[in-house]
Amino acid sequence: MSAYWLLALIPFLAGLALSVQQGMLAVTERFLRRAARRVEGTVTGQVASREATYAALHPVVRWTDADGIEYERVVPDTVSAHRLREGLRVRLLVMPGAPDTVALDSPDRYRSAVFGMWMGVVLWGGTLTAVLVRIATLLPSSCYRYC
């Protein structure tokens, strides 16, 4: 076996890491959507931040909870933030008793997490399949007599 077999580890491990990370994100999103309260909020502005190599806009949203307390927080959402203008009414997900866990009520994050998870599965599954097929073709034909 040559050293080129080690190159198959790169897409296998990358796909495995991608599917685990995105799967955890999908489970977290699903939990948030089930346990959080849905409230109406108003976009009061946008905050620019620099994530990785690009600038991202995060909406600042004001809402009132069930106890009548008014909150204003930056919502860490970059998927639909460019479409949100000041004064727009949005639906939010807020965990009871934890106003810092606010998120936009949008299925986009869950869908992208599930898509990323399946892309990781395809990557590591495809690599594993290619390696197993290659190993099967390298076996001598005498191994097939007794199977």
Side-chain angles (χ1 to χ4, degrees), residues 11-80:
F12 179 78
L13 293 177
L16 194 62
L18 179 66
S19 61
V20 166
Q21 190 266 340
Q22 292 294 309
M24 288 174 35
L25 184 62
V27 168
T28 303
E29 284 295 320
R30 184 141 173 105
F31 174 74
L32 179 66
R33 296 189 69 73
R34 286 181 178 235
R37 288 187 184 149
R38 286 172 172 75
V39 296
E40 288 282 323
T42 304
V43 177
T44 60
Q46 303 224 356
V47 174
S49 69
R50 191 142 181 90
E51 295 181 359
T53 58
Y54 59 92
L57 291 175
H58 302 288
V60 179
V61 180
R62 179 180 297 140
W63 77 95
T64 305
D65 69 356
D67 298 331
I69 302 171
E70 189 173 279
Y71 295 99
E72 185 173 31
R73 299 280 194 276
V74 175
V75 179
D77 183 26
T78 57
V79 176
S80 58

Side-chain angles (χ1 to χ4, degrees), residues 90-110:
V90 292
R91 290 181 52 99
L92 301 169
L93 295 171
V94 182
M95 291 297 286
D100 290 333
T101 60
V102 65
L104 291 176
D105 187 9
S106 171
D108 293 340
R109 285 188 317 272
Y110 179 72

Side-chain angles (χ1 to χ4, degrees), residues 22-23 25-26 108-120:
Q22 292 294 309
L25 184 62
D108 293 340
R109 285 188 317 272
Y110 179 72
R111 283 188 208 140
S112 66
V114 170
F115 179 74
M117 180 184 65
W118 281 110
M119 287 298 101

Side-chain angles (χ1 to χ4, degrees), residues 140-147:
S141 60
S142 62
C143 291
Y144 296 121
R145 277 191 223 153
Y146 301 109
C147 294

Side-chain angles (χ1 to χ4, degrees), residues 121-139:
V121 169
V122 166
L123 189 61
W124 71 259
T127 304
L128 184 63
T129 303
V131 167
L132 291 177
V133 166
R134 181 68 177 146
I135 288 172
T137 59
L138 291 177
L139 289 175

